[in-house]
Amino acid sequence: MASAAGLPCDIDPALCAALRAQKPEPGVDEYTTACLLMVFVAVAIPRLARNDSATFKAALEGHTNNVHCLAKAVNSLAGAMFTVHGHGDVEMRLKEFLALASSSLLRLGQETEKDVIKNRESVYLILDEIVQESPFLTMDLLESCFPYALLRTSYHHVYKNMQEGPA
């Protein structure tokens, strides 16, 4: 109702309605499926570092392959899925997602293979964008599981590359 009146909502009512309209298969636990989807996304984010088009372009304030849209998608889907199928624990599930994604991204720092880490700094910024976009997560929470120094260094790296020109 608030959305219809033009007030902003933390959880997308249209997406919730679309999820409610879907008929689950018998015997499928929708909550578990939603949790597993969030785990999959969290552990898959580091794979973006291998992608040449996952480079953050400071002039655009976004990634060349639009992976920065992942922040909005993660927050919208988590809000809707855990509202419709969950136990009203959107914040807890997003905290769990942040911890998993942080852990997965921190493993990139241990990689030595150039192909695996070529866009590491750009991918680190996705985590920051997810937190900035989220009404449920805070920067304090991000800093508790991902060092702010890495984010600061990553921003410095991508903006420095912009000044130096294309690599």
Side-chain angles (χ1 to χ4, degrees):
M1 187 130 96
S3 179
L7 298 173
C9 297
D10 290 342
I11 298 168
D12 185 352
L15 187 53
C16 287
L19 287 173
R20 280 188 192 99
Q22 289 184 338
K23 302 293 183 214
E25 295 178 21
V28 174
D29 180 14
E30 296 292 324
Y31 181 75
T32 302
T33 303
C35 289
L36 289 173
L37 175 63
M38 296 305 289
V39 169
F40 173 76
V41 172
V43 299
I45 288 175
R47 301 232 353 128
L48 294 170
R50 294 175 187 251
N51 193 335
D52 288 330
S53 61
T55 305
F56 185 85
K57 296 293 182 186
L60 302 173
E61 292 192 15
H63 295 78
T64 53
N65 64 352
N66 291 329
V67 75
H68 55 275
C69 297
L70 188 64
K72 179 74 172 167
V74 164
N75 285 300
S76 295
L77 280 173
M81 286 188 310
F82 294 117
T83 297
V84 172
H85 303 303
H87 309 45
D89 60 349
V90 179
E91 187 173 345
M92 286 302 299
R93 296 293 71 87
L94 276 172
K95 286 179 182 178
E96 184 179 84
F97 170 84
L98 187 62
L100 284 168
S102 297
S103 174
S104 297
L105 285 171
L106 287 171
R107 286 193 196 110
L108 278 179
Q110 298 171 346
E111 291 287 340
T112 56
E113 194 176 322
K114 281 282 190 197
D115 187 47
V116 174
I117 60 170
K118 60 185 162 191
N119 288 320
R120 178 177 56 197
E121 288 80 10
S122 294
V123 175
Y124 285 166
L125 300 182
I126 295 170
L127 200 58
D128 184 46
E129 292 168 5
I130 289 171
V131 173
Q132 288 180 15
E133 186 75 34
S134 177
F136 304 103
L137 300 172
T138 64
M139 288 304 289
D140 290 340
L141 184 61
L142 175 61
E143 195 167 347
S144 71
C145 53
F146 194 84
Y148 185 74
L150 277 177
L151 286 176
R152 187 178 60 238
T153 303
S154 297
Y155 275 111
H156 177 73
H157 177 76
V158 297
Y159 279 90
K160 182 179 163 191
N161 283 348
M162 177 185 80
Q163 292 172 348
E164 293 174 358

